[in-house]
Amino acid sequence: MTTDSTVLDGLDFPTSGLAVPDDVADLLFRQARTVGAFTPEEVTDEQLAAVYDLVRWGPTALNTVPLRLLVVRTPEARARLAAHMNESNRERVLAAPVSLVLAADPGFHAHLPVLAPHMAALADALEPQPEQREQMARTSALLQVGYLIVGLRAAGLDVGPMSGMDAHGIDAEFFAESGWRSLLVVNVGRRDGVGTPHPRAARLDYDQVARTV
Ligand SMILES: Cc1cc2nc3c(=O)[nH]c(=O)nc-3n(C[C@H](O)[C@H](O)[C@H](O)COP(=O)(O)O)c2cc1C
């Protein structure tokens, strides 16, 4: 193993131990920033579908695949969504090429006969347990949110995730029939210049976050 490192934004990144080329790691992580300012370039449904087709293979508990996406594109839909965002996030939703409301589906169990055919009885067992389903959906959908963010970057797109919002308001506005539970709003597009006025902040080191027993 080498001890090479690369310096970006004044931060030192070790480059050893990767199975993907360094420029891929840069695109997905080191150079990727949380973007607030996008060019007007359109993000198509085909692009979004291609990213989903890739990231759906990321693991979820019992293969529940509970992430759901609401693609917010029209001016009317944007205004409905922006009304439920925190003040500081509102303008970003109105200005982004497209916004995704990422949500968890507590009704995921309806798909289990296809997604987990080896556990035939599970869908019926979960039916009378809405709270457990909601917790299960949330945990795995949040994992899928992470896969999706990295997948969008792999497609050459930039993202601006935002949890500063009235989630219950969004659920009432958009998900009254489906029962989906909103987790995060993510603006998607191509960054305008650096895409953010904020300098890159540090991250914690492995030694700070890991304990070996
Ligand atoms: C779950 C989540 C919620 C966030 N919520 C907001 C938000 O409401 N408003 C905002 O401006 N940025 C929000 N961010 C952006 C973070 O502040 C940003 O990703 C972090 O500071 C790292 O920035 P960098 O990717 O440019 O290094 C959120 C990010 C995540 C992942």
Side-chain angles (χ1 to χ4, degrees):
M1 196 184 275
T2 71
T3 55
D4 290 348
S5 69
T6 183
V7 176
L8 286 168
D9 293 326
L11 301 173
D12 193 33
F13 297 98
T15 57
S16 56
L18 294 177
V20 295
D22 241 17
D23 55 348
V24 174
D26 287 347
L27 178 76
L28 300 182
F29 291 103
R30 298 189 193 111
Q31 287 183 345
R33 295 295 313 277
T34 294
V35 165
F38 297 92
T39 71
E41 188 178 335
E42 188 190 0
V43 177
T44 65
D45 288 330
E46 289 73 21
Q47 283 175 291
L48 296 174
V51 169
Y52 179 76
D53 280 353
L54 173 67
V55 304
R56 64 183 169 157
W57 297 108
T60 56
L62 297 169
N63 202 31
T64 44
V65 195
L67 179 68
R68 304 291 181 263
L69 292 79
L70 180 72
V71 180
V72 179
R73 204 181 272 293
T74 66
E76 294 76 17
R78 278 162 194 294
R80 287 172 63 198
L81 176 59
H84 300 285
M85 302 303 295
N86 289 2
E87 179 81 41
S88 56
N89 292 328
R90 208 163 284 159
E91 198 52 44
R92 293 190 192 140
V93 163
L94 294 172
V98 72
S99 298
L100 306 177
V101 181
L102 302 181
D105 183 7
F108 66 83
H109 61 309
H111 298 281
L112 285 180
V114 171
L115 296 174
H118 53 296
M119 289 176 286
L122 195 58
D124 286 345
L126 284 170
E127 174 60 30
Q129 303 191 63
E131 282 174 24
Q132 187 175 355
R133 280 190 278 112
E134 186 154 345
Q135 188 55 50
M136 290 172 69
R138 184 178 173 81
T139 300
S140 282
L142 281 169
L143 280 173
Q144 289 189 283
V145 167
Y147 308 148
L148 187 74
I149 288 173
V150 176
L152 288 163
R153 290 172 168 175
L157 295 164
D158 293 288
V159 299
M162 296 173 298
S163 59
M165 63 191 198
D166 172 9
H168 293 302
I170 292 175
D171 294 351
E173 181 78 43
F174 293 104
F175 303 143
E177 285 182 21
S178 66
W180 298 358
R181 300 279 190 270
S182 55
L183 301 169
L184 197 67
V185 171
V186 178
N187 293 329
V188 183
R190 291 186 190 276
R191 66 184 160 199
D192 190 6
V194 183
T196 171
H198 307 296
R200 180 72 133 173
R203 301 296 200 258
L204 297 179
D205 292 329
Y206 181 76
D207 290 346
Q208 292 176 283
V209 303
R211 296 288 178 271
T212 303
V213 294

